[in-house]
Amino acid sequence: MATSSDRRFPRNLTDRLSCRQVLNIMVILGFMFNYMLRVNLTIAIVAMVIPSNKTDISHTSATATECSDPGNATLLSDKPTQLPESFDGLRFQWDEYEQNIILGCFFWGYVMTELPGGRLAEIIGGHRVFGYSMLSASVLTLLTPVAARLDYTAVVVLRVLLGLMLGATWPAIHPMTARWIPPTERSKFMSNMMASSLGAAITMPVCGFLIASLGWESVFYVTGVVGLVWSIAWFFLVFDSPAQHPRISEEERRYIESSIGGATSHGKVHRVPWLRILTSPCVWAIIITHGASVFGYFTVVNQLPTYMKHILHFNIKANGLLSSLPYLGKYVFAVLTSALADHLLRTERLSRTATRKIFTAFALGVPSVTMIGQMFLGCDRAASVTFFTVALTVNGAVCGGYLGNGLDIAPNFSGTIFGMANTLSSLGGFLSSLMVGMLTQDNQTYAQWRKVFGIIAGTYAGGAVVYTAFGTGRLQSWNAVHTDDKDGTEPEKFPLRSDKA
């Protein structure tokens, strides 16, 4: 996004945007398309598989739920929808087990490249890691219809490879941020990662339209081509650092480099101080808080349709607006709160530590409260949708909180730190499904779901407490820069209020 500093740079007919503005646009689109390549199969598989003739028996007998039909059924009507038929009629006889393996195997590869991807971006640059990962994922997406025709196992192998490619993308963006974005603009830049939510909100209806109009194969061809076009543009428009960019103005390059200062190494590779990182409370604050936040997010997003169907007898997927609200809300809220966080830093209203802690506590504390509310008002459809939407929307404030905190404490190892955090959070997605399954299998009752909501509330609250206690915005000595403080931290670069106050 444009800042007051951008307006100082000259404009001409061939260069209307600053290089940082171009980078912002490409990263927003990149994370939108990143999630598009990830979830397209989730939508298309409905039309790829021969429908089962089994009757949906969900153990919804008189004793299966204590929630009676709510009085606001008209407000949130559940209109039955017909699944779109494939254009060419090609379907596969994959049973429920095989479908779940196809959908879940993505994470087998995804969790393996989080940490290596972050470290590789620190060594060779996030530009190449992010770009080649997206390019490879786009090619794999184009090959999905061929793999489906070959065999079910071919699809599984392809999805694992897709997970390997996309797993490296998220931590790869942090080293680029450390070299390109001034510290008082980083919260806003981190909100670009939340464009994945925007991508999910757009991908769902678009893929549904493609399936209904051209058949399920078109989903993979269209999304694959979109990814390829973006990848080509990325390599032409984006570079690893201002010093490497051939079209950057001298004014913008000087502004970026002087703002960042010496905290970030430009081109120099440092050995990872593993012992210092693994014994650093502020690093573990980021890792644990991210794990708690994503655990809650995955549980709500993935299990909400199940709860609505079995307990409230309401198919939320049948309502496109309600399905998209959490995704759209999270992105919009991320943009707004991150801009506020940067404003507070730029105007010296708050220190980095105070800013990160306040926004993190808000982003996790409010969802915790909504889940407690869900424990007592969960039989009401409107209240449930409101609680879930607020929880997911407010969680976008993490962009002004812990999400970019690795760049504060150790910009040279921000990719490694986020890779560690995202590895744990990816496992959290698996654990959330396991937890819900253990509590509700053959026992779809509101009493059991109250336990689920209680666990989510406790997890959110626990993450907020841990970060409030151990989080910091101070640059750490093991970032490999000169320090003048014996406690292993460096005074804040900007003339902000002291974190000790």
Side-chain angles (χ1 to χ4, degrees):
M1 288 293 183
T3 65
S4 59
S5 59
D6 290 326
R7 291 192 286 271
R8 302 198 310 266
F9 305 136
R11 296 287 192 271
N12 53 55
L13 293 176
T14 59
D15 186 19
R16 294 285 183 179
L17 298 173
S18 71
C19 292
R20 294 199 322 290
Q21 289 173 321
V22 172
L23 178 61
N24 270 275
I25 293 171
M26 291 302 296
V27 170
I28 290 173
L29 294 175
F31 278 102
M32 285 178 59
F33 300 152
N34 181 290
Y35 213 76
M36 172 189 71
L37 297 173
R38 174 174 167 176
V39 303
N40 51 13
L41 180 62
T42 305
I43 304 166
I45 198 170
V46 177
M48 295 172 67
V49 178
I50 297 174
S52 172
N53 292 324
K54 295 180 180 180
T55 304
D56 182 17
I57 301 175
S58 304
H59 304 277
T60 54
S61 62
T63 60
T65 175
E66 303 93 323
C67 293
S68 59
D69 190 23
N72 53 13
T74 304
L75 175 64
L76 297 175
S77 61
D78 179 12
K79 298 179 180 179
T81 57
Q82 295 292 328
L83 294 177
E85 293 292 332
S86 176
F87 183 79
D88 60 9
L90 179 63
R91 298 289 182 96
F92 303 99
Q93 292 183 325
W94 297 334
D95 58 29
E96 290 291 332
Y97 173 80
E98 291 171 331
Q99 292 179 53
N100 286 328
I101 290 295
I102 289 173
L103 294 175
C105 67
F106 171 88
F107 289 96
W108 302 350
Y110 189 78
V111 74
M112 293 175 62
T113 53
E114 294 281 358
L115 182 55
R119 180 55 184 160
L120 189 62
E122 293 166 355
I123 297 173
I124 68 172
H127 169 253
R128 279 183 280 183
V129 175
F130 197 93
Y132 283 118
S133 295
M134 286 289 290
L135 179 64
S136 302
S138 300
V139 173
L140 290 169
T141 298
L142 290 171
L143 295 175
T144 301
V146 177
R149 281 179 162 84
L150 288 176
D151 189 61
Y152 141 80
T153 55
V155 181
V156 171
V157 172
L158 186 144
R159 290 291 292 182
V160 172
L161 292 175
L162 187 73
L164 286 169
M165 294 300 104
L166 294 183
T169 55
W170 285 72
I173 210 67
H174 282 70
M176 283 195 69
T177 307
R179 297 174 181 174
W180 268 103
I181 308 301
T184 55
E185 299 176 15
R186 286 175 179 171
S187 299
K188 185 64 165 57
F189 189 80
M190 283 293 99
S191 70
N192 295 338
M193 300 175 71
M194 294 300 169
S196 59
S197 297
L198 185 60
I202 295 174
T203 300
M204 290 178 181
V206 169
C207 286
F209 172 78
L210 289 173
I211 293 171
S213 303
L214 303 173
W216 63 263
E217 291 172 304
S218 65
V219 168
F220 302 103
Y221 294 139
V222 171
T223 56
V225 168
V226 169
L228 281 177
V229 172
W230 177 91
S231 300
I232 294 171
W234 172 266
F235 285 116
F236 276 101
L237 298 175
V238 177
F239 295 83
D240 265 317
S241 68
Q244 297 175 13
H245 203 300
R247 296 182 296 275
I248 192 171
S249 67
E250 184 65 21
E251 292 86 353
E252 184 178 13
R253 184 181 66 80
R254 283 202 304 264
Y255 169 73
I256 295 172
E257 293 177 349
S258 63
S259 298
I260 293 175
T264 301
S265 297
H266 299 277
K268 183 178 180 181
V269 179
H270 293 266
R271 291 181 58 187
V272 179
W274 287 111
L275 182 61
R276 301 294 298 276
I277 289 178
L278 293 175
T279 56
S280 172
C282 58
V283 170
W284 282 105
I286 296 173
I287 294 173
I288 293 173
T289 305
H290 187 56
S293 177
V294 176
F295 175 87
Y297 179 80
F298 272 142
T299 306
V300 173
V301 168
N302 294 336
Q303 304 304 327
L304 172 60
T306 302
Y307 174 76
M308 288 294 197
K309 177 181 179 181
H310 293 311
I311 305 302
L312 298 185
H313 316 296
F314 169 56
N315 182 9
I316 194 172
K317 290 183 178 180
N319 191 311
L321 176 61
L322 293 180
S323 297
S324 299
L325 268 180
Y327 297 105
L328 295 173
K330 184 172 185 178
Y331 176 69
V332 171
F333 204 73
V335 172
L336 295 176
T337 53
S338 61
L340 175 60
D342 281 341
H343 172 74
L344 293 172
L345 291 174
R346 197 161 43 245
T347 57
E348 305 177 22
R349 299 290 180 85
L350 291 173
S351 68
R352 274 176 289 177
T353 296
T355 301
R356 301 306 182 209
K357 288 186 176 183
I358 290 172
F359 279 82
T360 298
F362 179 71
L364 275 72
V366 172
S368 178
V369 172
T370 61
M371 290 301 101
I372 294 174
Q374 183 65 21
M375 293 175 64
F376 297 97
L377 299 175
C379 281
D380 186 278
R381 288 184 179 179
S384 294
V385 172
T386 300
F387 283 140
F388 289 130
T389 301
V390 170
L392 297 178
T393 296
V394 171
N395 189 241
V398 297
C399 292
Y402 76 83
L403 192 64
N405 190 213
L407 294 159
D408 299 327
I409 65 174
N412 289 327
F413 305 106
S414 55
T416 297
I417 294 172
F418 191 77
M420 294 168 62
N422 229 30
T423 298
L424 176 64
S425 69
S426 297
L427 294 175
F430 166 76
L431 292 176
S432 70
S433 298
L434 180 64
M435 177 266 294
V436 173
M438 291 177 63
L439 289 174
T440 64
Q441 184 176 10
D442 299 330
N443 193 14
Q444 289 285 351
T445 66
Y446 180 52
Q448 291 301 103
W449 277 97
R450 289 183 69 178
K451 298 177 183 177
V452 172
F453 301 138
I455 292 173
I456 299 174
T459 303
Y460 272 132
V465 169
V466 168
Y467 191 82
T468 301
F470 300 105
T472 183
R474 288 180 174 271
L475 188 68
Q476 302 298 295
S477 61
W478 42 264
N479 185 57
V481 297
H482 173 71
T483 64
D484 54 7
D485 198 339
K486 295 181 181 180
D487 67 355
T489 64
E490 182 176 283
E492 297 197 2
K493 172 177 168 53
F494 299 95
L496 304 176
R497 295 177 184 177
S498 172
D499 287 329
K500 296 180 181 180

